[in-house]
């Protein structure tokens, strides 16, 4: 949000060395995009107040080289200028805010906007308060058709833009950022207050476990109780399930009882079974 400017110079270790000392017109004819990854910063200076770009140009004219890029930050609004021999030329796409889900870039072409016929291309971009917006131009009719402003996610922000990012459009963007930021902050505060009330009055665990625990005596922060079956009371629920008895074991016990009653000797394998059970 400070008033400041930075100067970027070609990095000779990149493919940007082909742009060194080339004029804006030469670079445009070469078709090489001017991007920050081809440059490196070499000067940063704070400004006491908001100054026009031509005033800054006069200050750096003797030190800046042709093909340098001037990045100007005026209270959160960022603009980029290519240093030409005569005066700085405003350029687009030098900076790009890369975020997850970004679908619009300075190189976007053949883009279809819902509700608008034809295909669209990026004509200009602007960064305000850390958010990047793109001016979309109709590929067939160009400036004969009204332009549209989208954010980097492809969401329509402003329609019917006739003069690009003029003062009126910038004011609308500031208002849009303020409104969207306020709504997000309000939602975050609402959620924080909601959970804070739960923790303060002790109902957080109750709301979490009440549909799972058998009764409120079990509200302890751990979901570890059986759910009460419909139509049953607590008394009808057995405290511990009974252990199932082996059918073969029952049969052998019955054989031993019959042998004792009839006075017959108990089979050897049954005697071994009785010994094992006593052990």
């Amino acid at each position: 949000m400070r008033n400041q400017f930075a100067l970027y110079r070609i990095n000779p270790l990149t493919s940007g060395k082909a742009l060194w000392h080339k004029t804006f017109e030469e670079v445009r004819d070469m078709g090489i995009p001017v991007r920050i990854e081809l440059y490196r910063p070499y000067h940063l200076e704070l400004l006491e107040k908001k100054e026009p770009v031509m005033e800054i140009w006069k200050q750096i004219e003797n030190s800046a080289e042709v093909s340098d890029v001037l990045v100007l930050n005026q209270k959160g609004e960022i603009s980029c200028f290519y240093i030409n021999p005569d005066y700085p030329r405003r350029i687009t796409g030098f900076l790009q805010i890369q975020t997850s889900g970004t679908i619009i870039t300075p190189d976007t072409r053949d883009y279809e906007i819902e509700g608008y016929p034809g295909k669209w291309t990026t004509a200009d971009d602007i960064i305000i308060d850390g958010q990047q917006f793109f001016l979309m131009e109709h590929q067939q009719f160009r400036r004969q058709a009204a332009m549209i402003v989208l954010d980097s996610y492809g969401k329509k922000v402003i329609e019917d833009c006739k003069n690009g990012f003029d003062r009126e459009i910038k004011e609308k963007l500031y208002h849009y950022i303020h409104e969207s930021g306020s709504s997000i902050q309000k939602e975050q505060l609402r959620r924080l207050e909601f959970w804070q009330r739960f923790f303060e009055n002790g109902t957080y665990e109750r709301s979490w476990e009440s549909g799972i625990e058998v009764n409120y005596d079990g509200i302890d922060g751990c979901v570890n109780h059986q759910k009460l079956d419909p139509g049953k009371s607590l008394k009808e629920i057995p405290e511990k399930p009974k252990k199932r008895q082996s059918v073969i074991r029952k049969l052998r016990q019955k054989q031993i009882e019959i042998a004792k009653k009839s006075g017959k000797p108990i089979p050897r394998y049954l005697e071994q079974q009785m010994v094992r059970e006593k052990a």
Side-chain angles (χ1 to χ4, degrees):
M1 296 301 293
R2 296 177 178 178
N3 291 319
Q4 60 185 9
F5 72 87
L7 283 171
Y8 287 77
R9 183 157 291 172
I10 291 290
N11 185 351
L13 300 179
T14 68
S15 58
K17 60 184 179 181
L19 304 178
W20 177 245
H21 279 179
K22 294 290 192 302
T23 64
F24 175 80
E25 291 74 19
E26 290 174 330
V27 172
R28 183 182 56 190
D29 295 339
M30 292 168 65
I32 301 177
V34 181
R35 299 289 186 264
I36 192 172
E37 55 266 22
L38 305 178
Y39 285 73
R40 58 186 179 187
Y42 74 92
H43 181 73
L44 176 66
E45 187 173 330
L46 296 176
L47 298 172
E48 294 182 359
K49 60 181 180 179
K50 189 173 182 179
E51 295 184 17
V53 65
M54 292 307 296
E55 292 296 325
I56 299 174
W57 159 246
K58 292 178 182 179
Q59 300 175 27
I60 64 173
E61 186 175 3
N62 295 329
S63 59
E65 298 277 355
V66 174
S67 72
D68 286 355
V69 172
L70 168 67
V71 178
L72 180 61
N73 185 347
Q74 304 272 32
K75 292 294 184 181
E77 179 185 328
I78 299 177
S79 304
C80 303
F81 301 86
Y82 189 91
I83 302 300
N84 230 24
D86 45 2
Y87 63 93
R89 297 289 299 266
R90 189 177 184 279
I91 58 175
T92 63
F94 182 73
L95 298 175
Q96 183 178 351
I97 300 176
Q98 293 284 356
T99 57
S100 176
T102 296
I103 60 175
I104 306 296
T105 70
D107 302 319
T108 297
R109 288 184 58 83
D110 300 322
Y111 187 77
E112 296 182 0
I113 302 176
E114 185 177 358
Y116 296 87
K119 296 184 178 181
W120 301 74
T121 184
T122 301
D124 197 358
D125 71 280
I126 191 172
I127 298 176
I128 298 177
D129 291 348
Q131 297 190 40
Q132 193 163 17
F133 301 94
F134 297 89
L135 187 67
M136 306 303 292
E137 181 182 75
H138 198 282
Q139 287 183 189
Q140 180 180 357
F141 300 109
R142 300 295 178 181
R143 296 300 173 102
Q144 296 177 6
M147 293 174 285
I148 301 172
V149 177
L150 305 179
D151 64 10
S152 58
Y153 303 101
K155 180 181 178 181
K156 183 182 70 177
V157 179
I158 303 174
E159 59 182 355
D160 196 20
C161 301
K162 298 179 181 179
N163 301 314
F165 290 121
D166 57 11
R167 184 175 180 179
E168 180 183 356
I169 296 300
K170 289 179 182 179
E171 289 179 354
K172 290 182 179 180
L173 289 175
Y174 276 108
H175 180 74
Y176 171 82
I177 293 171
H178 176 74
E179 289 297 320
S180 59
S182 297
S183 61
I184 293 173
Q185 290 176 357
K186 288 179 181 178
E187 177 63 18
Q188 291 175 341
L189 287 174
R190 188 189 69 81
R191 291 182 181 181
L192 287 173
E193 291 175 356
F194 178 76
W195 290 112
Q196 186 177 3
R197 286 199 300 270
F198 271 118
F199 280 111
E200 288 178 351
N201 61 24
T203 56
Y204 170 73
E205 290 177 350
R206 188 174 293 110
S207 67
W208 176 38
E209 301 179 48
S210 60
I212 300 176
E213 302 293 2
V214 175
N215 54 47
Y216 281 108
D217 293 335
I219 302 297
D220 54 3
C222 298
V223 182
N224 54 6
H225 300 276
Q226 294 180 348
K227 188 175 181 180
L228 181 62
D229 293 337
K232 288 187 177 182
S233 64
L234 294 176
K235 294 181 180 180
E236 294 175 342
I237 299 178
E239 294 182 0
K240 188 176 181 180
K242 294 182 179 180
K243 187 176 181 180
R244 296 180 62 182
Q245 219 172 6
S246 172
V247 176
I248 295 176
R249 184 179 180 183
K250 289 182 179 180
L251 178 61
R252 288 174 178 173
Q253 288 176 347
K254 194 68 176 178
Q255 289 174 336
I256 292 172
E257 291 177 4
I258 293 173
K260 287 181 177 181
K261 288 180 180 179
S262 61
K264 295 181 180 180
I266 301 174
R268 185 173 179 80
Y269 73 93
L270 291 178
E271 289 181 349
Q272 294 175 350
Q273 178 68 22
M274 292 175 64
V275 172
R276 284 196 297 269
E277 289 181 357
K278 289 180 179 179

